[in-house]
Amino acid sequence: MAAKPNAGEKLIASNKKAYHDYFILQKFEAGLALTGTEVKSLREGQANLKDSYVNFNGGEAFLFGAHISPYTHGNRENHDPERTRKLLLHRKEIEKLRGQVVEKGLTVVPLRLYFKGGRVKAEIAVVRGKKLYDKRETERRREADREAATAMKTRR
């Protein structure tokens, strides 16, 4: 279910739990304002997006709860792993996302972090929470598809 990286993209981390807990309505690509040690740590693949979300404050978007481990060769100037990071989006995109969150009661969560042309990008999505029966139905459908694919494979 998780999106695969396109050509020229190197996947750092993905939020597989988001695909299980939410209906993905709309996706956006955003840049991240990071420090040097954060980028070096991301090059080592040290990131976790579980339980992270996007919040809006003063016309800007921020990423909360994303964990980027401290750089292994860092010194006392190393970054805080749980710090709030600014998302780089166009003003119209921020207003559109903020409007959907406020009016419709939706949420914005990051789906994956990746390198694109030497820069760190975050794929964020507007999502609506699934109920327990929705999660069960999704799992049932996935299991049926898996069984059908196996049957087709053995049939050939």
Side-chain angles (χ1 to χ4, degrees):
M1 281 296 212
K4 292 180 175 58
N6 298 330
E9 293 180 1
K10 181 183 175 238
L11 184 66
I12 301 166
S14 63
N15 189 356
K16 293 178 184 174
K17 194 173 189 319
Y19 288 95
H20 181 262
D21 291 341
Y22 303 106
F23 290 111
I24 310 298
L25 303 177
Q26 195 173 14
K27 295 180 182 179
F28 291 90
E29 181 181 67
L32 277 167
L34 301 170
T35 63
T37 56
E38 286 175 324
V39 176
K40 290 179 179 184
S41 184
L42 288 174
R43 289 208 183 277
E44 294 177 346
Q46 303 295 319
N48 187 356
L49 294 175
K50 189 177 172 187
D51 298 329
S52 58
Y53 61 97
V54 176
N55 206 348
F56 302 95
N57 188 8
E60 296 178 332
F62 295 95
L63 181 62
F64 288 89
H67 181 89
I68 299 176
S69 299
Y71 182 52
T72 55
H73 301 298
N75 55 15
R76 62 186 173 93
E77 299 297 324
N78 223 340
H79 64 276
D80 176 28
E82 294 283 331
R83 82 176 184 91
T84 303
R85 294 164 181 92
K86 184 176 177 181
L87 289 174
L88 307 174
L89 289 161
H90 291 283
R91 172 97 36 227
K92 287 182 180 179
E93 290 176 326
I94 292 173
E95 293 305 319
K96 182 177 182 179
L97 289 169
R98 189 167 183 256
Q100 289 181 343
V101 168
V102 172
E103 291 174 17
K104 298 179 183 176
L106 303 174
T107 309
V108 180
V109 296
L111 297 179
R112 61 190 182 111
L113 287 178
Y114 55 94
F115 283 105
K116 182 177 181 182
R119 306 208 185 262
V120 178
K121 300 289 184 176
E123 182 179 52
I124 60 174
V126 178
V127 297
R128 186 177 71 240
K130 286 184 180 179
K131 304 278 190 230
L132 184 58
Y133 58 84
D134 291 329
K135 293 178 189 178
R136 286 183 187 140
E137 177 60 32
T138 303
E139 189 61 35
R140 237 181 260 123
R141 192 175 304 122
R142 188 178 299 132
E143 187 65 32
D145 291 345
R146 193 177 299 129
E147 287 175 6
T150 306
M152 291 293 285
K153 188 175 180 182
T154 57
R155 186 88 172 139
R156 290 182 185 159

